[in-house]
Amino acid sequence: MAITDKIYIKNHRQLSSQLETNIPKGAFKGATLDMLFQGEGLEKLDDATRDRVLEFTQDFLDCDCDNNPYCGCPERKFIQYLLELRAQGLGPDAIVDVMTDDYMVYAYPGDILSFLDNAVRTLEAAEGLARVDGADEAHDEIRQAKQDLAR
């Protein structure tokens, strides 16, 4: 299960009530992406909520793919966002706090920790492959990325 399957909308019931429709609790579920991508009913949201929803839409749903928002770009962009927060030195609890403040979405800190741990393990495997392949520059870049995540 991908980390984006474990990203939830903060105040889900309140948002559904304001939109006067049921939407899934998952931020990256199909119906949620449809609502965000098409912008239906966003004028019903209070100003603060609308601003965060629009920021989420601009930051993660903006791509030129024919299948947008089902092209995988929103999930990849969000994963990059999480990795950038970690690179800034934030731990799982702080990452959850920032993503909640930025976009009104949350995850459980344990899920973020598991995601980061899996990312480090993936980088360890890539580092080993680069070493075996003799790709010294790639090996060094991967090792540095792994160290940035593991701190």
Side-chain angles (χ1 to χ4, degrees), residues 2-4 74-84 115:
I3 186 65
T4 53
E75 292 86 350
R76 282 190 292 278
K77 288 179 181 182
F78 195 82
I79 287 169
Q80 184 63 39
Y81 166 74
L82 294 177
L83 293 173
E84 288 170 3
F115 162 72

Side-chain angles (χ1 to χ4, degrees), residues 3-128:
I3 186 65
T4 53
D5 292 337
K6 298 178 181 185
I7 305 299
Y8 306 104
I9 298 170
K10 181 92 171 156
N11 301 327
H12 168 259
R13 289 187 186 142
Q14 177 185 347
L15 187 63
S16 287
S17 175
Q18 287 181 27
L19 291 170
E20 299 173 354
T21 187
N22 288 327
I23 58 171
K25 192 172 184 177
F28 291 92
K29 298 293 184 194
T32 305
L33 292 176
D34 280 344
M35 186 272 304
L36 295 175
F37 189 69
Q38 296 169 2
E40 293 177 14
L42 294 183
E43 69 279 352
K44 297 176 184 176
L45 299 176
D46 62 67
D47 290 342
T49 302
R50 185 181 322 110
D51 289 346
R52 287 193 178 131
V53 168
L54 289 174
E55 286 179 29
F56 182 90
T57 302
Q58 291 169 345
D59 290 350
F60 302 112
L61 300 184
D62 186 25
C63 75
D64 295 326
C65 297
D66 290 338
N67 293 333
N68 189 11
Y70 303 107
C71 54
C73 289
E75 292 86 350
R76 282 190 292 278
K77 288 179 181 182
F78 195 82
I79 287 169
Q80 184 63 39
Y81 166 74
L82 294 177
L83 293 173
E84 288 170 3
L85 292 176
R86 179 62 184 150
Q88 294 172 21
L90 300 179
D93 290 321
I95 289 172
V96 170
D97 290 344
V98 169
M99 65 196 243
T100 301
D101 288 344
D102 287 351
Y103 302 111
M104 288 182 51
V105 297
Y106 72 95
Y108 295 103
D111 289 335
I112 298 295
L113 180 62
S114 179
F115 162 72
L116 295 171
D117 184 58
N118 287 338
V120 169
R121 303 295 162 246
T122 300
L123 288 171
E124 285 175 346
E127 180 184 19

